[in-house]
Amino acid sequence: MENKIVINTDIKKGTINKNIYGHFAEHLGRCIYEGLWVGEDSSIPNTNGIRNDVLEALRQINIPVLRWPGGCFADEYHWKDGIGPREDRKRMINTHWGGVVENNHFGTHEFMMLCDMLGADPYICGNVGSGTVQEMSEWVEYMTFDGESPMANWRQENGREKPWQLKYFGVGNENWGCGGSMRAEYYADLYRRYQTYARNYGDNKLYKIAGGANSFDYNWTEVLMREAGRMMDGLSVHYYTIPGENWSEKGSATNFSEDEWTKTMQKTLRTEELIQKHSTIMDKYDPDKRVGLIVDEWGTWFDVEPGTNPGFLYQQNTIRDALVAGVSLNIFNNHSDRVQMANIAQTVNVLQAMVLTEGEKMLVTPTYHVFDMYKVHQDAALLSIETTFQKDDISNLKNVNVSASKNDKDQTNVTLCNMKHDSATNVSVELRGLTNGSPSIKGTILTSENKGDHNTFDHPDTVKPVNFEDVKVENNRLTVTLPPMSVVLLTVE
Ligand code: AHR
């Protein structure tokens, strides 16, 4: 049996929300401090304290939305500690992540400035676990109220005359765990209460996101949708890819076995099941799909790099991570009727990062390149596809994974992943419904020789995209040979 894909280029299934290509930056390890923020007095070239090299790299991938300040940090964060003159800001302990001193130099104003520089929408996560209703309510007032009020006046004293536009607001994070160890029923009631006082001021309309389930905890979604579904715009879910059965079996990010490769792919493919099952529950309470499923933390989680602080979650990033990213993003695209946002964890120096830094050095990771290749899908129309894929004898997995979209220039973009690390795969792609009888094809590929290949500060271009030409075109049928462990973008026009 051959691998076959039929792409119905004339059947649009809806829009792939650009926010599926969102990112997450927490006060964790060297993500905010060192990774993004170095301060105005740093010898590392910066603009208003944000390092220029990282900013430039991140601008290239068109980050649509950025989630902050956590994560677990969000439910310990008191926003008033992070405003006003920096030298006066409170120094606190980041109890969750390494017990290091947090000087609060990066706060609300700095985050909003970063989003502005990136052209990204801010997504702020409020504190339910250890914060009060009043504190959350006042944060929204501080950021979005235009007129005279205690919080708006204070914002102006701190140098920001006009309110910011803030759409995405999360009411707590992982409230079943680090966000308060709550039961679903208790959190559902708290969600209802806290969100009441997160007001819409003027023309600022909040898109309120309720803290969602830990991976496959479907009861959480059931309870939240039943008790509070009508009071939310989005419900989150977190899912991390670890190769083992439990958190003690994460393994090295760069030095791993064939079995760990296969398990990583198997775990990534479970994203499909995760989305389908949470969506089925949501469909019961919200058949019109008004409430978005927000995958606001996802990505690989491996052992930290040897010799680094275990609380900093610093890991390298190989071609295996690129496959995880490519496959996950294809799955999100294909479920964009319900998935309205996804935020990979995390932007710089933490977990499955886009960028790694070491002092003044910086590199972009294989995962970054996938986001660069896949940005063509942002806000494009999802195309209907039919697939027939071979299954691997040993892993019983389908090794090819795909999504396709059409943009407003009438270009069809197809992203394909070959999850096999040791063999190439032939795929036949039929482009049904094309108006152009002799289409031109442009291809880009990300692959590498060895499954542990990654970019280092000395060799930053070991894994990078190149042109892909292994495509035969005959009428509207493409025959593609996908090399082992490859992510391919084909643009048809
Ligand atoms: O991304 C790291 C942590 O993973 C986040 O702080 C938390 O929400 C999740 O458990």
Side-chain angles (χ1 to χ4, degrees), residues 20-317:
I20 283 175
Y21 293 84
H23 293 257
F24 168 38
E26 180 169 8
H27 287 238
L28 194 179
R30 297 184 301 114
C31 182
I32 296 291
Y33 299 107
E34 282 186 48
L36 289 158
W37 174 262
V38 287
E40 288 146 351
D41 300 331
S42 171
S43 59
I44 296 175
N46 67 85
T47 304
N48 302 335
I50 306 287
R51 59 188 291 169
N52 290 345
D53 50 357
V54 174
L55 190 61
E56 195 187 318
L58 295 179
R59 276 184 176 142
Q60 167 68 21
I61 56 173
N62 295 354
I63 293 186
V65 62
L66 184 62
R67 179 173 183 253
W68 175 84
C72 295
F73 184 79
D75 283 280
E76 299 198 42
Y77 183 59
H78 301 285
W79 67 272
K80 291 178 187 174
D81 297 345
I83 56 168
R86 281 192 207 109
E87 61 280 12
D88 298 342
R89 294 187 194 173
K90 194 186 270 180
R91 288 165 69 80
M92 57 182 266
I93 313 288
N94 189 334
T95 41
H96 210 90
W97 300 119
V100 292
V101 171
E102 159 68 58
N103 65 13
N104 276 301
H105 280 195
F106 190 90
T108 305
H109 291 250
E110 290 78 12
F111 174 65
M112 290 301 200
M113 177 186 70
L114 170 64
C115 288
D116 210 36
M117 288 167 152
L118 289 170
D121 276 333
Y123 168 13
I124 285 193
C125 186
N127 180 346
V128 172
S130 70
T132 63
V133 178
Q134 181 180 0
E135 181 182 0
M136 185 183 284
S137 173
E138 287 182 339
W139 199 5
V140 173
E141 180 188 326
Y142 185 91
M143 292 184 282
T144 63
F145 188 77
D146 194 4
E148 195 185 328
S149 85
M151 293 302 119
N153 294 354
W154 196 13
R155 182 193 69 232
Q156 289 174 350
E157 280 163 31
N158 288 330
R160 173 78 189 191
E161 179 65 27
K162 284 281 156 202
W164 291 282
Q165 283 290 315
L166 174 69
K167 185 168 177 189
Y168 301 105
F169 192 77
V171 181
N173 169 76
E174 295 195 352
N175 301 93
W176 40 264
C178 64
S181 308
M182 302 175 198
R183 293 175 311 114
E185 289 77 5
Y186 180 67
Y187 172 71
D189 281 345
L190 279 192
Y191 172 80
R192 291 165 62 116
R193 178 169 169 231
Y194 275 67
Q195 68 80 34
T196 306
Y197 302 95
R199 306 274 188 205
N200 292 322
Y201 293 112
D203 61 1
N204 191 76
K205 168 98 178 66
L206 295 175
Y207 179 105
K208 295 176 188 171
I209 299 170
N214 178 14
S215 311
F216 304 102
D217 179 359
Y218 300 112
N219 177 58
W220 187 277
T221 296
E222 173 77 34
V223 173
L224 263 289
M225 286 304 293
R226 187 183 66 222
E227 304 299 341
R230 66 186 187 286
M231 298 177 194
M232 64 178 77
D233 300 294
L235 176 60
S236 73
V237 62
H238 291 178
Y239 180 60
Y240 284 98
T241 298
I242 54 163
E245 288 315 310
N246 57 58
W247 289 91
S248 61
E249 294 172 18
K250 300 189 292 297
S252 161
T254 52
N255 188 7
F256 49 85
S257 64
E258 294 188 2
D259 186 49
E260 285 171 283
W261 172 285
T262 305
K263 287 206 171 107
T264 306
M265 296 304 132
Q266 287 170 331
K267 295 292 274 299
T268 304
L269 285 168
R270 290 199 74 191
T271 306
E272 178 99 37
E273 169 198 338
L274 177 93
I275 292 174
Q276 272 168 351
K277 291 191 174 162
H278 284 291
S279 298
T280 303
I281 297 165
M282 293 173 81
D283 285 349
K284 188 165 111 188
Y285 297 98
D286 175 36
D288 297 334
K289 301 188 192 294
R290 183 189 63 79
V291 180
L293 183 60
I294 309 293
V295 191
D296 60 16
E297 288 185 29
W298 69 274
T300 56
W301 194 319
F302 302 124
D303 290 343
V304 297
E305 289 305 303
T308 64
N309 187 329
F312 279 15
L313 310 186
Y314 176 72
Q315 65 189 41
Q316 251 294 358
N317 194 295

